Amino acid sequence: MRKMWNMVLLAAQEYKQTLFSSRLVFLFGSLIVAYESAFGTLLELNTATGLSMHPFEPYLVLSARPISALLIPLMFVLLLSDVPSVTSQGSFTMIRTSRMRWFFGQLLAVIAMAFTYLMILLLFSIVVSWQTFEENVALFSNWSPLMLDINKLFPDIYIQYSGYLLSPETTMQGYPCAVLAHSLMLTLLSIIIQGEMLIVFDLLGYKIVGLISLIALNGIGCTFVAITHQTMWLLPMAHTIFGLHFLGASSKPIMPLSYSYLYFAVWLIVLSCIGLTLAKKTAFHGKASFLAQH
């Protein structure tokens, strides 16, 4: 129990260092990007048409648009750019834990930060759209008029802003809560594996290369998604976008959601194995006293 507690304390230390560091500016930057790339336009559409929104829809639009789907993991990677911190690899930390617990403590911190990051984006979505929704509580069991009726009531506006609306592949394959749950979980898994990649690159001694590689990974993924090239399924981004898994109202998916979960599970297992192997070979600060204890 004490060993597990040490791992949790290490994760909490890393989590606090990120939240109280100058890198928190990337979290606020994410909110600005979310508003400028999706939320603001949806509010303009609400004002122009009088059609209400579901509180979850701004987030789902954000996660479905390729350029926005690029910025979500990109900002998160920049937020995590100092993980694992120098403090967590210092002698005072390492003599109190093992290398395995150190690695999983770092991974736990990444998971906590990823969850916090997405919850803040979702909360921002709810706050932004709540004023358009408060009189239509029944919308929790269906999509909003803005997504379902704008093409019939305002065809010109629909054509102009179709890129800011959820596709039929999303609205015809599930209700908002179910779609949101899949979208959040798949995005969470995606940014967790990217945080784990940062840890692995740091253990290799190539943190800057890792940052550049992750930026390139997301950029290439965004390009393939934008042109709907089949190669997109080799990269994480396509798996995070719910609507890409389907074609219209067809019940048979192009890419089953279970395959996307399996894709991320394989990545997590492989990266964990690599990370643990590297952690055992890494010369942390205070290595002599560390080896004496283990």
Side-chain angles (χ1 to χ4, degrees), residues 111-131:
I111 293 171
M113 285 184 278
F115 182 79
T116 301
Y117 178 74
L118 291 183
M119 287 303 102
I120 289 174
L121 282 175
L122 177 60
L123 179 61
F124 187 41
S125 168
I126 294 172
V127 169
V128 164
S129 58
W130 189 259
Q131 60 180 338

Side-chain angles (χ1 to χ4, degrees), residues 200-212:
V200 168
F201 274 107
D202 181 79
L203 290 171
L204 288 169
Y206 297 105
K207 179 178 278 189
I208 298 300
V209 174
L211 283 170
I212 295 172

Side-chain angles (χ1 to χ4, degrees), residues 3-149:
K3 293 178 179 179
M4 290 293 293
W5 182 242
N6 286 342
M7 186 178 75
V8 172
L9 288 177
L10 176 63
Q13 171 186 302
E14 201 71 71
Y15 182 81
K16 289 178 182 177
Q17 282 192 287
T18 300
L19 288 185
F20 292 99
S21 71
S22 58
R23 286 173 289 114
L24 196 63
V25 68
F26 293 115
L27 176 56
F28 295 113
S30 299
L31 300 181
I32 295 172
V33 166
Y35 189 87
E36 293 297 328
S37 65
F39 297 0
T41 301
L42 289 174
L43 286 177
E44 290 175 9
L45 287 173
N46 165 255
T47 301
T49 63
L51 299 176
S52 61
M53 282 187 290
H54 191 290
F56 297 159
E57 286 172 351
Y59 173 82
L60 291 172
V61 169
L62 179 73
S63 63
R65 301 185 69 230
I67 187 63
S68 304
L70 164 66
L71 294 171
I72 291 176
L74 183 59
M75 288 293 187
F76 183 72
V77 166
L78 294 174
L79 178 65
L80 288 188
S81 58
D82 195 40
V83 174
S85 64
V86 174
T87 303
S88 73
Q89 300 178 65
S91 57
F92 289 108
T93 297
M94 295 309 301
I95 61 175
R96 296 196 300 269
T97 189
S98 69
R99 297 178 183 215
M100 183 180 75
R101 291 195 297 277
W102 177 88
F103 176 80
F104 283 114
Q106 295 295 328
L107 181 56
L108 183 60
V110 168
I111 293 171
M113 285 184 278
F115 182 79
T116 301
Y117 178 74
L118 291 183
M119 287 303 102
I120 289 174
L121 282 175
L122 177 60
L123 179 61
F124 187 41
S125 168
I126 294 172
V127 169
V128 164
S129 58
W130 189 259
Q131 60 180 338
T132 77
F133 170 78
E134 56 188 359
E135 297 179 358
N136 301 286
V137 180
L139 284 178
F140 272 119
S141 62
N142 203 354
W143 298 101
S144 72
L146 185 64
M147 296 299 161
L148 297 180
D149 301 332

